[in-house]
Amino acid sequence: MLTAHDITMLLLALGALLAVARAFGEIARRLGQPSIVGEIAAGVLLGPTILARVAPGVSAALFPASGNVHLSLQALTSLSITLFMLVAGMEVDLKMVWKRRNAALAIGLGGAIPAMLAGVALATLAPAWIGMGEHAQPAAFALFLATALGLSGLAVIAKMLMDMQISRTEIGATILASAVVIDVLGCLLFAVVLALSHTPGADPSAHGSLNVWQTMLAAGIFVVGILTLGRAALNRAIPWVQAHTAWPGGVLGLALVGCVLCAAFTEWAGVHAIVGAFMFGMALGDSKHLRHSTRQTLEQFISFIFAPLFFASIGLKVNVIANFEPLLVVLVFGLSCFGKVIGCGI
């Protein structure tokens, strides 16, 4: 249970995080960069890299490593990225994605596979140097590193395309669709990693509710269902909601309820919650009955409030000074980028 002190510190932490993230986001925009660059930098400033070194007492009070405030911040940032992916999905033009489906699939797989092969090679040739623990299983570790290098970062890509105002263009739709392909594949591979690294006596709930094949089946059914039956149902429901409920509260409520339910399903199925939120956003945004003003209300509030909270929280988890090993960082970064650039280019 949250005490009065916990609530006070939580509100102070949220206020500080949002204020610095918004300020740094605006500075990044003025420098010609996407605002996400400034938002992540804000988290680095407030996290263990800088604030914890300069004012450890303040850092521990605002952003503790455990306890009620820590858990509450985690819950709010999880909600933030879920809502942001709803908005990101609404930015996707489904007709354009379908038109570019072959290119998106080829680019997604083409960018992921070379980077993943590089990860397997690195984990095989230098496991101890790259950080494999004594009790880790080599196959699971190699697949983990391969997946980490192959992932695209759907949320980051969506935010950058929205900041650059090209998410609804043909190239933007192709990039987003490619990122969805890679991230769904990555989630399935992580399910395999968890299965390989499972040890007797461990908590089964930590490895998800479904096995790998069940996860693949559930993910496939969900994607097909939400983009066909779900999209048709939303197209029928929105006019009824707009006619019988207060505007824009009725449609906003429908959007948020559908978003969190879809996110909950994909999280339960072993695919990240953001995939469910993103796919629901695609189905919702495709409706011709969704008013432009309602779309703008959702996009502006979530993009300028919830999204900065999440992206700043990324920086809170990183200690760049303590964990920065130049050669290792440059090698992993280089392999990932080189593999993606070559693969997507081909």
Side-chain angles (χ1 to χ4, degrees):
M1 179 177 176
L2 289 175
T3 65
H5 179 264
D6 290 336
I7 294 172
T8 301
M9 299 314 299
L10 175 63
L11 294 175
L12 287 174
L14 288 172
L17 198 60
L18 182 58
V20 179
R22 288 293 301 121
F24 275 43
E26 290 299 322
I27 292 172
R29 285 181 63 250
R30 290 180 181 274
L31 295 175
Q33 299 297 314
S35 61
I36 185 177
V37 175
E39 291 161 3
I40 294 177
V44 173
L45 173 66
L46 294 175
T49 304
I50 298 178
L51 182 62
R53 290 176 175 272
V54 176
V58 175
S59 176
L62 288 177
F63 309 109
S66 60
N68 290 337
V69 176
H70 173 74
L71 290 175
S72 299
L73 277 172
Q74 279 194 320
L76 285 170
T77 52
S78 295
L79 177 63
S80 296
I81 187 55
T82 300
L83 294 180
F84 171 70
M85 293 312 295
L86 164 69
V87 169
M90 290 171 60
E91 286 290 301
V92 177
D93 186 334
L94 273 177
K95 293 183 179 65
M96 199 172 291
V97 168
W98 183 250
K99 174 185 173 185
R100 300 285 295 164
R101 61 190 183 278
N102 293 332
L105 182 62
I107 293 168
L109 294 177
I113 290 173
M116 293 175 69
L117 291 176
V120 171
L122 188 59
T124 303
L125 296 174
W129 181 67
I130 204 71
M132 186 177 80
E134 292 182 8
H135 304 293
Q137 296 188 24
F141 180 74
L143 186 57
F144 166 77
L145 187 61
T147 307
L149 265 63
L151 282 173
S152 60
L154 175 60
V156 174
I157 288 177
K159 184 68 162 64
M160 294 185 73
L161 292 176
M162 291 172 67
D163 287 346
M164 297 165 67
Q165 299 182 348
I166 60 172
S167 57
R168 295 191 69 84
T169 64
E170 187 168 341
I171 184 64
T174 306
I175 292 171
L176 277 173
S178 303
V180 171
V181 169
I182 298 174
D183 274 35
V184 170
L185 174 64
C187 288
L188 295 176
L189 288 175
F190 269 129
V192 176
V193 171
L194 289 174
L196 290 173
S197 59
H198 179 68
T199 54
D203 179 10
S205 65
H207 301 276
S209 303
L210 306 179
N211 62 38
V212 176
W213 297 109
Q214 290 172 330
T215 294
M216 294 175 66
L217 179 62
I221 292 173
F222 172 77
V223 171
V224 173
I226 195 66
L227 294 182
T228 54
L229 298 177
R231 186 163 60 99
L234 281 170
N235 207 38
R236 288 178 174 271
I238 290 174
W240 187 92
V241 171
Q242 290 179 154
H244 294 87
T245 61
W247 180 87
V251 179
L252 294 180
L254 173 67
L256 296 183
V257 169
C259 168
V260 296
L261 289 179
C262 289
F265 176 81
T266 53
E267 184 70 28
W268 168 81
V271 182
H272 201 287
I274 66 172
V275 175
F278 185 79
M279 300 306 294
F280 178 80
M282 290 175 65
L284 179 69
D286 189 62
S287 174
K288 61 183 179 182
H289 301 296
L290 186 65
R291 295 177 182 173
H292 179 68
S293 53
T294 306
R295 186 191 296 268
Q296 278 195 319
T297 301
L298 266 173
E299 290 179 354
Q300 291 175 359
F301 183 69
I302 292 174
S303 297
F304 289 102
I305 302 298
F306 286 102
L309 282 176
F310 169 75
F311 290 112
S313 74
I314 294 175
L316 291 178
K317 302 171 184 175
V318 178
N319 191 331
V320 177
I321 296 175
N323 300 319
F324 188 79
E325 189 174 332
L327 181 59
L328 183 59
V329 170
V330 169
L331 179 61
V332 173
F333 180 76
L335 285 174
S336 179
C337 290
F338 181 76
K340 280 182 169 19
V341 169
I342 296 297
C344 290
I346 292 173

